[in-house]
Amino acid sequence: MKILIVGSGGREHALVWKISQSKRVTKIFAAPGNPGMKQLADLVDIKPASIIELADFAQEQKIDLTVVGPEQPLGLGIVDEFNNRNLKIFGPTQKAAMIETSKSFAKDFMRKNNIPTADFKVFNAAAVALEYFQKAKFPLVIKADGLASGKGVFICRKKDEADEAIKEVMLDGKFGQSGERVVIEEFLSGQEMTFMAVCDGKRIFPLATSMDYKKALEDDTGPNTGGMGAISPAPQISKDLFNQIMKTIIQPTISGLKFENKEYKGLLYAGLMITREGPKVLEFNARFGDPETQVVLMRLKSDLVDILEGSADENLFDIVADWDENVSGCVVLAARGYPQKYAKGQKIQGLERAKSLGVEVFHAGTAMGKDGPVSAGGRVLNVCATAPTLKEAMDKIYDGISFITFDDMTFRRDIGWSRK
Ligand code: AMP
Ligand code: GLY
């Protein structure tokens, strides 16, 4: 089989790595990919948003299955374009991807289908939102309706913080069209976890659970990021909680979407808060999480291609999950300053020595420099490992990291547990 992976981050490198282990696969392309994938895939210079060019490429190269990493091409309708051309693709249609691309759609959908989530209101005008804050209970959470690369969420403890967030999102237009509408919701407390499942429209294939560390700095402080590390399984998961999540969240979501003619195929990502009243949805994503995918795929023993193709073919019948009993961890090596301003082009060294300790290093924001890889993004590398205990996995990862250097490299030392 020939496979095309769309995207260029650590998530996509992990997908390429896992897919390359399938006996069914003869060739992998990545568009645009990153230098870490080079030994496993041919890199194709097409951007994820260029959905027509991607479909042309898949047609010319007779690609058997295309796997979409990021949300942007899903929002642009890449799956619809491929479906129209009878090209096989893993992911939801534009309509079904609204579960991620419109927060107000997702919240209304959850309310209608009794899926537990924070209580909320939708606002289309800044003045009405500002008026609402006069009597609102704080803290509350303000979210830009559309895609904002994980930066459109504001947790406001007081009225002036909420006023400021509305100014940025609705009046100053920081996120463009994505901020013309906002969702304002109740603040939930508890522990967060990630639940991902592959779906084929009707059937659900749940993946191992995970947890990501969203804050930039240790002890969960600093600004929100795309994720600074992850572990699998989620520490708080039990059989009962797993069943409760399937029954109250994942199953009603898939059947509710089917009922609305938005059959959901692809990866459904539920970001959950485990509250005293049970699990509640913070957000849905229509794609694999990053860096959760890295830790989940480290533990998958089944053939990933069978699972992805089963989704695209609406045939997730006979797939059995085979998971490594070991736990896994991932630490993100970032450029100092991320998620705000940071330098690029820093020479990366020590990758081979780190890998010789048995860790996997997935590239995220890297590029090929004159004599080796250089940093090219905020999240630069993902160092991952599995072991019988979380402590052993994290020790292995941090030992591996001790060999890796680039100027201004920074990372959290408390992924998995507090190392202070
Ligand atoms: P989201 O992109 O909607 O998942 O939000 C990003 C992060 O903001 C989440 O991972 C949570 O840490 C936090 N967050 C979002 N919504 C809420 C909420 N209703 N209550 C508390 N924290 C939230
Ligand atoms: N790690 C969070 C996400 O992928 O949205």
Side-chain angles (χ1 to χ4, degrees):
M1 275 179 92
K2 284 189 188 176
I3 313 267
L4 169 64
I5 312 284
V6 177
S8 63
R11 162 184 56 204
E12 288 79 13
H13 188 180
L15 285 165
V16 166
W17 170 79
K18 191 72 215 169
I19 286 172
S20 73
Q21 294 167 11
S22 168
K23 290 195 182 65
R24 302 176 58 200
V25 172
T26 50
K27 181 125 195 113
I28 306 177
F29 295 93
N34 68 41
M37 305 174 186
K38 259 195 166 151
Q39 280 169 351
L40 304 173
D42 282 7
L43 307 190
V44 185
D45 190 16
I46 308 178
K47 291 198 170 62
S50 304
I51 62 176
I52 304 291
E53 268 182 83
L54 287 167
D56 290 345
F57 177 83
Q59 221 154 17
E60 280 156 26
Q61 293 289 332
K62 301 196 166 43
I63 299 292
D64 297 293
L65 176 66
T66 297
V67 182
V68 186
E71 61 275 21
Q72 186 197 23
L74 297 170
L76 292 170
I78 189 171
V79 171
D80 310 74
E81 179 65 28
F82 273 58
N83 286 345
N84 288 340
R85 300 195 199 190
N86 268 323
L87 293 164
K88 202 182 281 187
I89 186 162
F90 175 82
T93 57
Q94 189 175 38
K95 252 181 5 187
M98 278 175 73
I99 200 85
E100 169 167 9
T101 58
S102 168
K103 290 210 188 266
S104 57
F105 167 78
K107 294 294 288 191
D108 285 334
F109 172 83
M110 286 188 264
R111 184 172 275 167
K112 235 179 353 200
N113 288 276
N114 285 320
I115 295 163
T117 189
D119 200 13
F120 71 100
K121 281 187 168 33
V122 178
F123 292 85
N124 292 298
V128 188
L130 294 171
E131 172 69 30
Y132 171 75
F133 297 146
Q134 303 285 353
K135 291 192 204 118
K137 234 175 73 192
F138 286 88
L140 52 71
V141 184
I142 301 178
K143 301 183 176 183
D145 184 52
L147 294 178
S149 308
K151 297 185 184 116
V153 175
F154 298 78
I155 294 175
C156 306
R157 277 156 302 181
K158 309 191 290 263
K159 184 177 164 304
D160 50 342
E161 288 173 5
D163 290 346
E164 182 56 32
I166 290 297
K167 180 173 173 300
E168 270 183 46
V169 178
M170 297 189 95
L171 298 174
D172 299 347
K174 189 169 174 189
F175 305 106
Q177 271 190 342
S178 288
E180 284 174 4
R181 177 182 297 160
V182 297
V183 171
I184 298 183
E185 65 181 37
E186 162 204 11
F187 177 83
L188 298 176
S189 39
Q191 258 197 312
E192 285 186 53
M193 65 168 278
T194 298
F195 196 101
M196 297 193 283
V198 173
C199 310
D200 71 356
K202 294 190 207 72
R203 284 161 290 266
I204 298 163
F205 179 88
L207 301 182
T209 59
S210 56
M211 184 179 116
D212 83 341
Y213 293 72
K214 285 212 171 68
K215 298 283 185 192
L217 306 175
E218 279 155 26
D219 294 328
D220 291 328
T221 56
N224 259 336
T225 70
M228 293 299 288
I231 56 175
S232 174
Q236 66 272 49
I237 196 70
S238 63
K239 214 170 170 182
D240 282 350
L241 180 58
F242 186 96
N243 292 338
Q244 195 184 358
I245 293 168
M246 282 295 283
K247 202 166 146 228
T248 62
I249 294 170
I250 308 295
Q251 281 158 356
T253 300
I254 296 303
S255 50
L257 286 169
K258 187 165 158 29
F259 184 76
E260 289 193 10
N261 251 328
K262 296 187 177 72
E263 272 207 352
Y264 197 93
K265 288 164 64 171
L267 192 292
L268 179 70
Y269 168 121
L272 306 175
M273 186 72 89
I274 312 305
T275 70
R276 290 223 305 254
E277 291 142 40
K280 296 191 180 182
V281 177
L282 290 173
E283 65 164 345
F284 282 121
N285 290 323
R287 43 139 185 108
F288 282 101
D290 188 347
E292 291 98 321
T293 299
Q294 289 83 312
V295 285
V296 167
L297 294 185
M298 290 287 292
R299 298 183 53 222
L300 179 66
K301 295 205 284 191
S302 324
D303 188 331
L304 179 60
V305 175
D306 289 345
I307 301 169
L308 302 178
E309 195 183 36
S311 159
D313 287 344
E314 301 178 19
N315 190 23
L316 273 177
F317 281 112
D318 306 321
I319 317 258
V320 258
D322 197 4
W323 296 102
D324 192 338
E325 289 288 309
N326 283 337
V327 300
S328 58
C330 168
V331 174
V332 173
L333 304 185
R336 191 175 305 284
Y338 170 76
Q340 280 106 23
K341 260 180 72 163
Y342 52 83
K344 292 183 187 175
Q346 313 289 7
K347 189 171 160 53
I348 299 167
Q349 284 174 304
L351 294 182
E352 291 314 315
R353 276 190 78 186
K355 282 189 229 168
S356 71
L357 295 185
V359 298
E360 284 299 331
V361 182
F362 297 119
H363 288 225
T366 70
M368 214 50 201
K370 271 203 302 286
D371 44 13
V374 297
S375 64
R379 292 192 290 174
V380 180
L381 296 163
N382 303 154
V383 184
C384 304
T386 59
T389 65
L390 193 55
K391 179 170 183 337
E392 288 167 276
M394 299 318 299
D395 278 343
K396 207 156 130 184
I397 291 169
Y398 284 107
D399 284 348
I401 291 175
S402 68
F403 291 114
I404 303 176
T405 56
F406 58 88
D407 276 355
D408 283 340
M409 177 173 112
T410 175
F411 59 92
R412 279 182 59 166
R413 289 175 171 76
D414 64 345
I415 306 300
W417 81 94
S418 172
R419 293 176 66 85
K420 284 188 186 147

